[in-house]
Amino acid sequence: MPFREVNARMVEATVVPGQKMFSQRGAMLAYKGDVSFTPNMQGGQGGLASMIGRRVANEATPLMTVEGNGTVMFGHGGHHIQVINLSGDTLYVEADRLLAFDGTLQQGTMFMGSQGGVMGMVRGQVTGQGLFTTTLKGQGAVAVMAHGGVIELPITPGRAVHVDPQAYVAHHGDVRNKLSTALGWRDMVGRGSGEAFQLELSGNGAVYVQASEEKL
Amino acid sequence: MFRLQGSKVLAVDMTGDAVKAKNGSMVAYDGQMAFKKMSGGGEGIRGMVTRRLTGEQMVMMEVRGQGTCYFADRASEINLVNLHGDKLYVESSNLLCTDAGLRTGTTFTGLRGGASGNGLFTTTVEGTGQAAIMSDGSAVVLRVTPQYPLSVDPGAYIAHQGNLQQQFQSGVTFRTFMGEGSGEAFQIRFEGDGLVYVQPSERNTIGGEV
């Protein structure tokens, strides 16, 4: 089910019988037809084990299941919405940025600290994001929220992309991420350029960056 | 080379050269980049003293490298300005990025600053090259000619360039003080030959409250 962009802050999805969608709870703006919204205690799908995983990982943004026959409009908090189409690859995104996604996508959590050693552990502290992130895998569409517009930057082997942790939205593909620092003694004594930490993404894929350093 | 990626992200392609940008406004880059904090508001001791006196705190950084660097700030709209030896006057909070070759400084703006709530001093950018300024909503560029002067709401004004004289205009009357103001008590009047950048939004100004 692809999303249709109504405008920069609103998307419309078609719901057909037999196919589910998940969305952030309360993100429905309007709907047509016969559609039901049920709170999803498991915070998505994947059974009890993954539910506990998400609770522990603090990636348990409340979700609801959207089923029925009709069209639903989604939006939240006036945020900009970016639609990302997945064709078998994995999207990494913070749970609170997820607006809605196809029920066919496999949801999971990933421990980000395992990448990049100690600096990977520091990532959570610096970025204000958790050590865990939500993953979505398979064939389908995802609507992700951002503050301001979003640009997509390709990551190719030999051409790593560095992203301000606060401006990072999501990434997909076969990508390694690590926290890199530009810390010198000058930064330590408060003469920093304001760009002391960056997320370095290398490999093969793409990263989505928002036009703002504000969290949602 | 400055180019816009969408309306809210500025992409700068660099080959070993440098740009000056608002502190902390980098959102992403590829290639090799180095970030260095600059003491803004003009070069040298004089600039430093001016900065202290004027409160026109322009905290900027120098970005030098090979590759593409992306800048954005709080989802503001970005406008590109080309300078050919002339001077751009801009509120420091609205300046995102300039070519490193452009000189930046501060200048006294007269009474206007008081009403616009932006201090009595404004930032100037001078030389030949490109600058990127920010606005709340898409900015319009209005041409001023000797025959057609322009009056602007101080809260909507973001920048101007060219050979312009500015004058502070007040429409405050007895009625305004009695609480019957139209909400348009103050304007900046531009006369001469040049361009004025106006945003479709109004900052809170002292003038706006009268």
Side-chain angles (χ1 to χ4, degrees):
Chain A
M1 264 172 293
F3 291 100
R4 193 179 70 83
E5 290 180 38
V6 179
N7 60 37
R9 290 149 205 263
M10 209 190 278
V11 289
E12 189 182 64
T14 308
V15 186
V16 293
Q19 267 187 10
K20 297 196 251 210
M21 292 198 60
F22 294 103
S23 92
Q24 195 167 104
R25 223 176 278 178
M28 184 274 286
L29 298 172
Y31 72 92
K32 280 183 254 179
D34 183 19
V35 184
S36 69
F37 303 89
T38 42
N40 194 310
M41 291 307 166
Q42 291 174 9
Q45 22 97 289
L48 192 65
S50 86
M51 172 192 132
I52 292 168
R54 272 190 294 278
R55 278 288 141 75
V56 172
N58 199 19
E59 281 278 320
T61 296
L63 291 176
M64 60 184 183
T65 310
V66 183
E67 285 167 298
N69 192 0
T71 56
V72 187
M73 308 236 270
F74 294 106
H76 184 65
H79 293 304
H80 184 99
I81 299 165
Q82 176 76 25
V83 176
I84 300 169
N85 290 300
L86 292 176
S87 47
D89 47 343
T90 304
L91 180 78
Y92 299 80
V93 61
E94 301 295 321
D96 58 358
R97 286 191 181 270
L98 269 179
L99 180 71
F101 57 95
D102 266 343
T104 51
L105 291 170
Q106 272 197 315
Q107 204 192 342
T109 44
M110 202 192 120
F111 181 58
M112 299 301 277
S114 62
Q115 289 191 341
V118 177
M119 287 324 279
M121 301 288 281
V122 175
R123 173 184 175 271
Q125 305 302 317
V126 173
T127 61
Q129 295 170 342
L131 286 173
F132 294 83
T133 201
T134 295
T135 57
L136 291 171
K137 191 182 178 184
Q139 303 268 351
V142 186
V144 170
M145 291 184 285
H147 183 242
V150 170
I151 56 168
E152 180 183 354
L153 299 176
I155 302 162
T156 51
R159 200 167 174 95
V161 175
H162 298 251
V163 181
D164 185 305
Q166 270 80 34
Y168 166 87
V169 173
H171 74 270
H172 72 81
D174 181 19
V175 170
R176 277 183 53 80
N177 86 80
K178 81 173 197 215
L179 195 77
S180 65
T181 55
L183 267 186
W185 67 270
R186 290 194 142 211
D187 302 273
M188 295 295 191
V189 294
R191 286 180 52 95
S193 65
E195 308 292 3
F197 289 96
Q198 288 122 31
L199 279 175
E200 183 186 317
L201 300 147
S202 56
N204 212 335
V207 57
Y208 298 89
V209 181
Q210 70 180 14
S212 169
E213 278 108 9
E214 259 167 48
K215 299 260 311 159
L216 289 185
Chain B
M1 223 6 244
F2 286 25
R3 61 191 159 85
L4 290 180
Q5 187 123 6
S7 61
K8 294 171 181 159
V9 178
L10 171 73
V12 182
D13 300 313
M14 282 188 272
T15 51
D17 45 340
V19 293
K20 293 184 235 180
K22 183 172 179 174
N23 223 24
S25 62
M26 183 279 288
V27 291
Y29 69 87
D30 60 32
Q32 294 282 331
M33 295 288 158
F35 302 90
K36 203 172 88 189
K37 191 189 172 188
M38 293 174 60
S39 37
E43 285 78 19
I45 300 260
R46 192 162 168 271
M48 201 175 82
V49 173
T50 322
R51 225 160 30 243
R52 285 288 138 78
L53 289 175
T54 59
E56 181 79 358
Q57 284 282 356
M58 186 178 55
V59 188
M60 299 206 86
M61 59 179 178
E62 187 194 71
V63 184
R64 184 179 292 278
Q66 296 263 356
T68 306
C69 196
Y70 299 87
F71 299 96
D73 188 44
R74 281 170 287 172
S76 300
E77 300 278 331
I78 299 168
N79 313 272
L80 295 183
V81 178
N82 286 308
L83 290 172
H84 307 282
D86 51 336
K87 207 185 239 185
L88 175 77
Y89 296 80
V90 59
E91 298 296 332
S92 67
S93 56
N94 288 323
L95 185 61
L96 179 67
C97 191
T98 73
D99 277 333
L102 291 171
R103 292 181 300 284
T104 47
T106 43
T107 188
F108 182 65
T109 57
L111 268 172
R112 179 184 70 75
S116 68
N118 290 302
L120 290 164
F121 293 81
T122 198
T123 296
T124 55
V125 182
E126 198 177 4
T128 298
Q130 285 181 299
I133 57 176
M134 295 181 286
S135 55
D136 184 5
S138 305
V140 291
V141 187
L142 300 174
R143 174 161 282 283
V144 179
T145 60
Q147 293 84 1
Y148 294 100
L150 177 74
S151 293
V152 180
D153 186 299
Y157 163 85
I158 52 170
H160 74 269
Q161 71 186 114
N163 184 24
L164 288 175
Q165 292 81 49
Q166 53 177 319
Q167 202 187 338
F168 186 65
Q169 255 185 350
S170 155
V172 182
T173 60
F174 179 69
R175 285 176 76 91
T176 323
F177 279 116
M178 298 304 286
E180 298 205 13
S182 63
E184 304 291 0
F186 295 99
Q187 289 108 38
I188 318 167
R189 186 177 167 88
F190 289 96
E191 282 172 20
D193 213 338
L195 301 171
V196 179
Y197 297 80
V198 178
Q199 67 184 7
S201 160
E202 296 177 7
R203 280 178 290 250
N204 277 332
T205 62
I206 302 165
E209 284 167 14
V210 175

